[in-house]
Amino acid sequence: MRKITLTQFLIEEQRHKGVIQGDLRLLVEVVARACKAISIAIGKGGITGMLGSATTENIQGEVQKKLDVISNEILLETNEWGGHLAAMASEEMDHPYIIPHRYPKGEYLLLFDPLDGSSNIDVNVSVGTIFSVLNCPENIGAVEEHHFLQAGAKQVCAGYAVYGPTTLLVLTLGNGVSCFTLDREVGSFVLTQRDMRIPEETREFSINASNMRHWEPPVKRYVDELLAGKTGPRGKDFNMRWVASMVADVHRIMTRGGIFMYPRDAREPDKPGKLRLMYEANPMSMIVEQAGGASTDGNQRILDIQPEQLHQRVAVFLGSKNEVERVTSYHR
Ligand code: AHG
Ligand code: MN
Ligand code: MN
């Protein structure tokens, strides 16, 4: 069987289907190259002394891991000179990175969580990279932070890499979701699954249950019903999984269905949940919807939320459609 590489896949999309422009193809290729470099850096682990924490905090007040900082630098360095971007924004940077004047300015904005699940780095559990692409508004002069504040429905592309037993790249250009596996010897991503679909029904859920006492009543009710199993109102048993890397939990759902929840809770009442809208929830929601799943914050479709801040947080319920609709209906 002839193997289709990411490069070939993107050229097809551009040439025959007219789905993407040349600059977007370059953008995806460059992000994929950055993910390869991150995968290699992570793979060396303790050999290069790169495990453990850096001495810095990000804007969320989280202590950065050394690999958070390195992954962020890799994404910036690979992407800044290609001429495809106007600016980048990241979980690990307080403010957007505007493309320096010495490079041509492109028409896209790139947002990323360079290393998702980084608390898992030191224990050798899967981590990943999440990214989102928006059009840069036209005729604006200098790019500013508010130019990034576009609803997720405006994304032109979204994807994530999972650095697990294999390195995967899962990608949507707005016409379905494809999965590529890194061939480490050749150094290229190979198409291993077209048109990923999330089953509508599931018997698996994903939530950090240690926060149960802080949940709001609709979430408590929904999870209680799942836990009641066969003899409860749902009439079937449910299994639970929580990797604590959103990429790994979402990838499991992309593969065999399930529901992922990070609700708002009473620990920090002024913060609506833990996950970040612009570079975690939005790209993952686009991918999940493109695979036939659903994604809400309990009240509305995540992709319809008008962002107010670059680093704003949001409650997340995503995955198999019927379950997401049910837990959302409990919020009404
Ligand atoms: P990050 O490492 O980018 O800060 O993201 C971690 C996120 C997400 O990947 C995961 O689902 C969640 O935090 C885990 O949270 P808990 O530690 O509360 O389980
Ligand atoms: Mn993250
Ligand atoms: Mn991160």
Side-chain angles (χ1 to χ4, degrees), residues 145-197:
E145 194 157 317
H146 66 92
H147 295 127
F148 282 86
L149 304 181
Q150 306 177 35
K154 298 240 171 89
Q155 293 171 105
V156 292
C157 165
Y160 63 82
V162 199
Y163 313 111
T166 55
T167 288
L168 301 177
L169 182 74
V170 172
L171 178 73
T172 181
L173 298 160
N175 63 337
V177 185
S178 305
C179 180
F180 301 83
T181 304
L182 180 61
D183 182 331
R184 292 181 206 272
E185 279 75 43
V186 181
S188 55
F189 280 102
V190 177
L191 181 65
T192 41
Q193 203 181 345
R194 254 187 220 278
D195 207 11
M196 296 179 89
R197 301 302 291 174

Side-chain angles (χ1 to χ4, degrees), residues 62 91 113 115-119 208 211 242 244-246 249 260 262 274-276 280:
E62 299 159 344
E91 176 182 310
D113 174 356
L115 202 56
D116 174 66
S118 52
S119 73
N208 184 344
N211 299 321
W242 183 253
S245 289
M246 187 191 198
D249 282 312
F260 171 93
Y262 212 117
K274 174 177 185 184
L275 299 175
R276 277 62 49 121
E280 291 178 318

